[in-house]
Amino acid sequence: MSLEKTSTVESLLGLLSQGPMSGYEMRQMMERSTTSFWSESFGQIYPALRRMVEDGLATVEEQSKDGRAKKVYRLTDAGERRLRRWLGVEARPQVRRNELLLKVYFGDRAERGAIAAQVVAERERCEDEMHRFEAALLRMEMEHARHPALPYWKMTVRYGMAEAKAVMEWCDETFEELEKRGLVSRARM
Amino acid sequence: MSLEKTSTVESLLGLLSQGPMSGYEMRQMMERSTTSFWSESFGQIYPALRRMVEDGLATVEEQSKDGRAKKVYRLTDAGERRLRRWLGVEARPQVRRNELLLKVYFGDRAERGAIAAQVVAERERCEDEMHRFEAALLRMEMEHARHPALPYWKMTVRYGMAEAKAVMEWCDETFEELEKRGLVSRARM
DNA sequence: TAGCACATGTAATAAGTTACATGATTTT
DNA sequence: AAAATCATGTAACTTATTACATGTGCTA
């Protein structure tokens, strides 16, 4: 069975479970909806789609709308089963690689103010993200008010918000601590 | 200059800034100290060390302690400079891939109770992690009470704690919401 | 004496991004 | 007419893990 370490195929099965679409559209959907926790490049998507058809998880149909050709993929029963089975398997904890924390960890070796600057930048990133999450939540409620999957989609956004808020608080607490220790450069204050 | 997308070399420079050591010891240190946000495999470490010596960022000395040979690496001035410069460059936001959220996002297609089970498992993972962070904080205070880098090390642990707490709260909130919607299987309740 | 920790390294494989190639249609 | 978007795909390259190969020294 699925010996892969990642879920590229499953992410595509999931998208197809919402309706038939092309590889290009899958990429767009991810950019719009799951980009904060999942995305795939074309270099992953197209070969994966070929394998999925080979394995009977999806079928293709070549459509030419207005002379513009595209391949529309459709989930098979086997694909649906495969998706459902995967949803029942406990998610593997992701390998975390956090460059910010690596820099903080070696902060002792940094120039005065360098780590404080990292923390300030991170705080700003989180604020931006939070605004995007708030907008996403509103957009979802407007555009998909009655969609049966809406509660699940909202859960993923709330996860992002919870994380962003926690990191923001950590940034504030950490900045204060650096300030207390005189580790914030004058230019930054 | 550093055209790499990741910071394998920099993580090793950082460890060497704490004193000369072997590749094996670097791996051990990461396992002990940075594993929650950074780790490297031997397959990355040994080739990177060779390149670092080639680039003049470190020197090697072959030691044979009790007949057991090992290569001890030492930071050069160039290595120290490179580390300091890297610490001043804004950290790149990591690419997030969260399999749990991918499953939640497609939760609509799952069997009854499957997503609640995912959330319960995640909550347990966070609890375990939180305990490890608490232990790490205590151990640091005991073993390195006067180490100048201690405040930075603690900051990275507090980040982990803040995140774990936020995710735990999300798990509780999400489980409740699933329960309210009757999406928790009886066996689990 | 078996097994584990120490110690270094390579090869195979997997996973992923980016750039490139191609070409149509739509918008500015 | 140029630029952006739609659309599919491949090749080159980078990154990373895992398994394997090899050997020493200590401990149960």
Side-chain angles (χ1 to χ4, degrees), chain B residues 5-58:
Chain B
K5 308 259 174 247
T6 51
S7 311
T8 298
V9 165
E10 285 79 6
S11 69
L12 301 178
L13 292 174
L15 290 174
L16 287 180
S17 79
Q18 299 175 2
M21 68 184 92
S22 68
Y24 192 84
E25 288 170 313
M26 291 181 210
R27 180 85 216 277
Q28 281 184 315
M29 287 214 115
M30 286 196 191
E31 282 300 293
R32 250 184 286 135
S33 313
T34 67
T35 198
S36 73
F37 58 89
W38 204 269
S39 74
E40 300 284 354
S41 62
F42 286 128
Q44 290 276 97
I45 291 172
Y46 288 121
L49 286 171
R50 198 175 55 74
R51 285 198 306 275
M52 283 160 65
V53 172
E54 278 168 19
D55 296 348
L57 303 173

Side-chain angles (χ1 to χ4, degrees), chain B:
Chain B
M1 274 268 153
S2 146
L3 293 157
E4 294 106 31
K5 308 259 174 247
T6 51
S7 311
T8 298
V9 165
E10 285 79 6
S11 69
L12 301 178
L13 292 174
L15 290 174
L16 287 180
S17 79
Q18 299 175 2
M21 68 184 92
S22 68
Y24 192 84
E25 288 170 313
M26 291 181 210
R27 180 85 216 277
Q28 281 184 315
M29 287 214 115
M30 286 196 191
E31 282 300 293
R32 250 184 286 135
S33 313
T34 67
T35 198
S36 73
F37 58 89
W38 204 269
S39 74
E40 300 284 354
S41 62
F42 286 128
Q44 290 276 97
I45 291 172
Y46 288 121
L49 286 171
R50 198 175 55 74
R51 285 198 306 275
M52 283 160 65
V53 172
E54 278 168 19
D55 296 348
L57 303 173
T59 56
V60 218
E61 196 196 337
E62 219 132 341
Q63 280 184 2
S64 68
K65 207 180 182 184
D66 324 301
R68 187 182 279 175
K70 70 169 168 176
K71 295 184 172 183
V72 175
Y73 293 82
R74 193 179 301 269
L75 207 59
T76 63
D77 288 348
E80 179 95 38
R81 277 197 303 277
R82 167 86 172 263
L83 174 62
R84 204 186 328 274
R85 198 163 59 237
W86 174 77
L87 287 168
V89 175
E90 198 170 308
R92 292 158 296 196
Q94 69 242 23
V95 181
R96 297 180 201 199
R97 288 200 130 192
N98 190 324
E99 208 182 61
L100 171 70
L101 290 186
L102 193 61
K103 295 196 183 203
V104 172
Y105 189 80
F106 297 125
D108 193 33
R109 298 286 144 184
E111 274 167 54
R112 169 179 298 254
I115 299 306
Q118 298 284 353
V119 171
V120 168
E122 178 68 13
R123 161 98 218 199
E124 276 160 23
R125 266 199 296 277
C126 287
E127 280 166 34
D128 288 352
E129 229 184 6
M130 187 59 97
H131 291 139
R132 281 197 297 279
F133 285 135
E134 279 159 3
L137 218 49
L138 283 174
R139 187 165 54 75
M140 277 181 184
E141 307 258 30
M142 304 263 266
E143 292 174 18
H144 307 286
R146 287 155 184 291
H147 197 292
L150 179 61
Y152 292 104
W153 300 347
K154 283 167 69 178
M155 286 169 191
T156 65
V157 180
R158 288 202 189 286
Y159 184 104
M161 288 171 129
E163 212 180 31
K165 183 167 166 262
V167 175
M168 266 194 255
E169 283 166 9
W170 174 85
C171 286
D172 293 342
E173 171 198 315
T174 302
F175 188 86
E176 262 177 61
E177 163 110 19
L178 290 168
E179 215 169 19
K180 217 173 60 190
R181 291 174 184 274
L183 294 168
V184 178
S185 75
R186 250 145 255 132
R188 264 282 172 193
M189 281 181 80

Side-chain angles (χ1 to χ4, degrees), chain A residues 22-24 28 42-43 46-47 68-71 73 97:
Chain A
S22 69
Y24 191 84
Q28 282 184 315
F42 286 128
Y46 288 120
R68 187 181 278 173
K70 71 169 166 174
K71 295 184 174 183
Y73 293 82
R97 286 199 132 194

